[in-house]
Amino acid sequence: MPADLTADAGARDDTGGRPVAPSTGRLRPLGLREVRITGGFWGHRQSVNAAATLEHNLSWERRVGWIDNFAAVVEGRVGRDRRGREFSDSDVYKLIEGMAWEVARTGDTFAAASIAELSKVIERAQEPDGYLNTAFGHPGQGDRYSDLEWGHELYCYGHLIQAGVALLRTGFDSPLVEVAVRAADHVCDTFGPDGNQGFCGHPVIEMALVELYRATGERRYLHQAKLFVDRRGHGTLADIEFGRAYFQDDVPIRDADAFHGHAVRALYLASGAVDVAVETGDDELLAAIERQWEATVARRTYVTGGMGSRHMDEAFGEDFFLPPDRAYSETCAAVASVQLSWRLLLATGDVRYADLTERTLYNVVATSPADDGRSFFYVNTLHRRHVGPLPATDRHHPRAESSVRAPWFDVSCCPNNLARTFASLSTYLVTADDDGLQVHQYADAEVSTRLGEGRRVGFEMRTGYPDDGAVVLRVTETSPAPWTLSVRVPAWAADGAALIEPDGTRRPVGPGVASVTAAFAIGDEVRLELPLEPHWVRPDPRIDALRGTVAAERGPLVLCAESADLPAGRDVDAVRVDPAAPLSPDGDGSVLAVGALASVDDGSWPYAADAGTDAATTPARIRLVPYHSWAARGPSTMRVWLPVQE
């Protein structure tokens, strides 16, 4: 039977909707009506997403035929006419989810009309028993669930269900909600305890089913998600060239030491496991994911927060295998990392998860889209050795092409993942508990919500972050009883951070959480001041590929050298820097480093008995720019980790 869509407060609640709504946990996420980004760094990106990216993605999905695939099912021609990869349905669903958050955020009429149109097309393609897929199950195609390793049928359901939950929570009247529920019921009927004992090669159905349970109160969805999590890791899927580790089917999730295999798959699975653990009270499972997160951040994560160091299988490498020039660091893996860290933060309250979220948002998620929101990086290398060609604007491109941002890819999961992330980004900024509010990410924003006993509180956040380290929280709503306003002090702000209380008291604060508890009055201000002096960081010596190099950071931003800032004809591989000399801010977010440009003699053999040295060096001031802005001025070479001047 279909779930009762009014059974739980998570459906159509007054928060305006949020992607993750656990029934329990240390912190409560706020919805789109409770937190509104009003400007600044992230406000600009939300505006570009709404004005350009959503329409751009929709037009491309029409152009490449992914939307027509649903009509082709209805008209009986999908066996001969279907276009796109086996998972292309999922990208239509991700785009709808992004549009749902945008409608809730701004009332966007284009997004609303597009959802209505797409929902009707998709609804007609669903089978009577709830099955819905354009790549399998029709004349001229493979049978249903005949390829669980690569078919992505359950993966597509996962994104369909997430879109349905977004529509349900935001109160959008769409038949796609019932489509998603019927699909979820079909999954439970087909893969339940007495049914098909398989699972999908690409996780995402797990966290989707848990979220549908949270939105409807129908426990069979939670039970099915737990079944999928528990089934994985026992060698059920076929062994492939990359091994079963690619699917995380080599070891049960509770027994893994770190995230491994295909990076997006691993992070989506971990997110689903956290959801299952939270809703079932499985502390052992939650602790296992926390342990794996710790190991992965310590040994398998790039300085940008990016994850995935192998191109051949889009996978995590072994410990300390983090080559900058071969960094895969897929944009979707960054989105998945943010989703996982957010869930862990809500469950535990530990701000280290917000620290990684900040690093990943500013240095991977913000890096992928161009300024106009109409081209993207699929992968995010840390060292571009050669200037690549400008991509054609009228065709899609190989997904690993990373010399410049491209308008579309053969596999275009990333543009749609970005669209839904930017549209819902305000829900990742602030949380609540019975005692107060906690600020995890900084942006111009307005916040208003209720605490325990119905006390309404709120504040206005104003900041020039990340270019300016001052964050001002001005109370706009309060209650007679004291409540607590907490702010995250980032891990990189080890020295010089300060908190100024409403009475003017100034106190130094260190990494972690800084709080003020008071019977606030409207107009009271809490001010956080963060030091943004640029500084060098050195790599762990076990990262072989980075020995003899340093990288520069300023606040949450990783910096890089780009050939656009060098004399004509010089390349970033000629850059040498002196980490003993101070870095100097130079306006527009750039920094000047003391260093040199080297010339190297090309010999007939690149190895010698004595250590090679630069043939000559020319002293130079090396301009470093925010990594997220690289290639914005056109094709260039780029380098994050810079050789130390000898």
Side-chain angles (χ1 to χ4, degrees):
M1 294 290 294
D4 177 2
L5 300 186
T6 63
D8 188 83
R12 298 188 178 94
D13 62 23
D14 62 0
T15 72
R18 54 224 156 142
V20 183
S23 64
T24 187
R26 175 66 182 80
L27 302 174
R28 173 173 66 86
L30 303 186
L32 289 169
R33 292 196 190 101
E34 297 175 297
V35 183
R36 187 171 70 91
I37 295 175
T38 57
F41 186 95
W42 293 118
H44 171 69
R45 280 154 181 78
Q46 281 197 321
S47 296
V48 170
N49 185 61
T53 302
L54 294 177
E55 184 278 331
H56 173 87
N57 290 4
L58 180 61
S59 66
W60 269 98
E61 290 187 5
R62 294 191 191 284
R63 181 186 303 188
V64 297
W66 300 351
I67 292 171
D68 181 65
N69 289 338
F70 294 97
V73 167
V74 176
E75 296 165 11
R77 55 183 174 82
V78 71
R80 67 175 186 275
D81 289 348
R82 189 184 187 280
R83 297 169 64 187
R85 293 289 300 271
E86 60 277 9
F87 41 72
S88 66
D89 294 359
S90 70
D91 283 306
V92 180
Y93 303 145
K94 284 199 290 285
L95 179 57
I96 292 173
E97 182 191 347
M99 289 177 168
W101 300 130
E102 189 58 38
V103 172
R105 190 179 77 88
T106 64
D108 187 280
T109 55
F110 168 78
S114 298
I115 292 172
E117 178 187 356
L118 293 172
S119 297
K120 292 177 181 178
V121 173
I122 293 167
E123 181 187 27
R124 290 196 292 269
Q126 188 170 37
E127 302 292 334
D129 66 349
Y131 182 82
L132 175 58
N133 193 275
T134 69
F136 290 88
H138 308 287
Q141 297 179 329
D143 293 338
R144 296 180 178 185
Y145 310 118
S146 58
D147 187 1
L148 289 175
E149 289 80 10
W150 302 106
H152 289 76
E153 287 158 284
L154 293 171
Y155 171 80
C156 289
Y157 287 141
H159 286 298
L160 168 64
I161 293 167
Q162 287 178 326
V165 168
L167 294 166
L168 179 59
R169 286 191 173 139
T170 57
F172 195 100
D173 185 13
S174 168
L176 202 69
V177 174
E178 291 288 355
V179 169
V181 169
R182 285 195 295 269
D185 290 337
H186 166 78
V187 169
C188 294
D189 292 342
T190 305
F191 290 89
D194 300 323
N196 187 325
Q197 297 299 295
F199 51 88
C200 190
H202 198 312
V204 86
I205 184 71
E206 298 84 358
M207 55 176 158
L209 285 170
V210 175
E211 221 57 60
L212 186 59
Y213 155 70
R214 291 167 171 168
T216 66
E218 177 54 64
R219 294 194 65 85
R220 72 185 308 212
Y221 304 144
L222 175 61
H223 295 157
Q224 187 62 52
K226 184 179 185 301
L227 281 178
F228 283 143
V229 169
D230 290 342
R231 285 174 185 171
R232 193 177 297 267
H234 302 282
T236 301
L237 298 177
D239 200 5
I240 62 169
E241 175 188 359
F242 307 127
R244 289 191 176 94
Y246 177 86
F247 304 119
Q248 295 78 45
D249 192 31
D250 58 324
V251 59
I253 191 168
R254 299 171 190 270
D255 300 333
D257 296 323
F259 302 141
H260 63 287
H262 186 278
V264 179
R265 284 170 164 85
L267 294 164
Y268 278 174
L269 175 63
S271 296
V274 171
D275 289 336
V276 168
V278 166
E279 297 302 333
T280 62
D282 192 335
D283 294 339
E284 177 190 17
L285 179 58
L286 180 61
I289 302 303
E290 290 188 85
R291 182 185 70 247
Q292 293 163 35
W293 184 95
E294 291 174 359
T296 302
V297 171
R299 305 194 295 267
R300 299 183 178 186
T301 301
Y302 284 99
V303 69
T304 56
M307 294 184 179
S309 53
R310 298 202 316 224
H311 277 242
M312 64 178 183
D313 51 355
E314 301 183 305
F316 288 99
E318 299 303 315
D319 289 352
F320 305 107
F321 178 75
L322 294 164
D325 55 343
R326 292 295 294 163
Y328 202 68
S329 185
E330 184 183 337
T331 298
C332 282
V335 170
S337 174
V338 169
Q339 293 177 349
L340 173 59
S341 291
W342 181 240
R343 285 165 165 80
L344 290 169
L345 173 66
L346 296 176
T348 69
D350 192 330
V351 296
R352 60 184 174 162
Y353 300 118
D355 279 341
L356 182 65
T357 296
E358 176 183 74
R359 182 174 292 270
T360 307
L361 284 173
Y362 279 105
N363 299 296
V364 187
V365 173
T367 304
S368 177
D371 290 341
D372 67 357
R374 296 181 182 275
S375 59
F376 315 88
F377 283 136
Y378 188 102
V379 303
N380 295 276
T381 183
L382 276 68
H383 184 180
R384 179 68 189 179
R385 294 181 179 274
H386 305 288
V387 176
L390 282 171
T393 59
D394 59 349
R395 65 176 178 84
H396 41 97
H397 297 261
R399 57 184 168 178
E401 188 174 302
S402 60
S403 58
V404 289
R405 296 169 180 87
W408 205 247
F409 301 94
D410 295 334
V411 177
S412 277
C413 45
C414 296
N416 295 300
N417 249 339
L418 289 170
R420 65 177 183 151
T421 300
F422 286 133
S424 61
L425 188 61
S426 64
T427 67
Y428 294 90
L429 268 58
V430 182
T431 57
D433 60 16
D434 287 344
D435 298 321
L437 300 176
Q438 305 83 37
V439 180
H440 304 288
Q441 308 299 333
Y442 306 116
D444 285 350
E446 296 174 350
V447 180
S448 175
T449 190
R450 293 186 185 277
L451 304 181
E453 301 177 349
R455 295 177 295 159
R456 180 160 287 282
V457 298
F459 62 86
E460 178 183 68
M461 178 161 45
R462 291 291 176 262
T463 181
Y465 199 77
D467 296 323
D468 185 285
V471 182
V472 178
L473 310 177
R474 180 181 178 274
V475 175
T476 55
E477 295 177 276
T478 190
S479 67
W483 54 283
T484 301
L485 186 54
S486 302
V487 294
R488 176 181 61 91
V489 181
W492 51 261
D495 298 302
L499 189 72
I500 303 171
E501 302 188 16
D503 64 1
T505 301
R506 181 186 182 93
R507 55 185 168 97
V509 291
V513 176
S515 301
V516 177
T517 300
F520 292 103
I522 291 176
D524 280 352
E525 290 186 352
V526 174
R527 181 182 178 94
L528 176 65
E529 294 183 349
L530 298 171
L532 292 183
E533 290 79 13
H535 61 277
W536 295 109
V537 295
R538 296 179 182 272
D540 188 299
R542 290 170 289 184
I543 305 176
D544 292 333
L546 299 182
R547 289 198 182 109
T549 65
V550 292
E553 295 182 351
R554 182 175 183 267
L557 302 180
V558 173
L559 307 178
C560 67
E562 196 173 1
S563 58
D565 294 310
L566 300 178
R570 303 310 299 267
D571 185 77
V572 291
D573 286 341
V575 170
R576 307 288 184 267
V577 296
D578 178 6
L583 292 163
S584 305
D586 194 46
D588 297 327
S590 66
V591 167
L592 292 178
V594 174
L597 297 177
S599 299
V600 180
D601 286 335
D602 288 327
S604 59
W605 184 242
Y607 311 100
D610 57 339
T613 59
D614 296 326
T617 58
T618 303
R621 298 283 278 177
I622 308 300
R623 184 178 302 278
L624 307 178
V625 299
Y627 171 75
H628 67 71
S629 70
W630 92 270
R633 294 170 286 179
S636 66
T637 61
M638 177 277 300
R639 190 165 188 167
V640 168
W641 291 100
L642 305 171
V644 172
Q645 187 175 5
E646 296 180 357

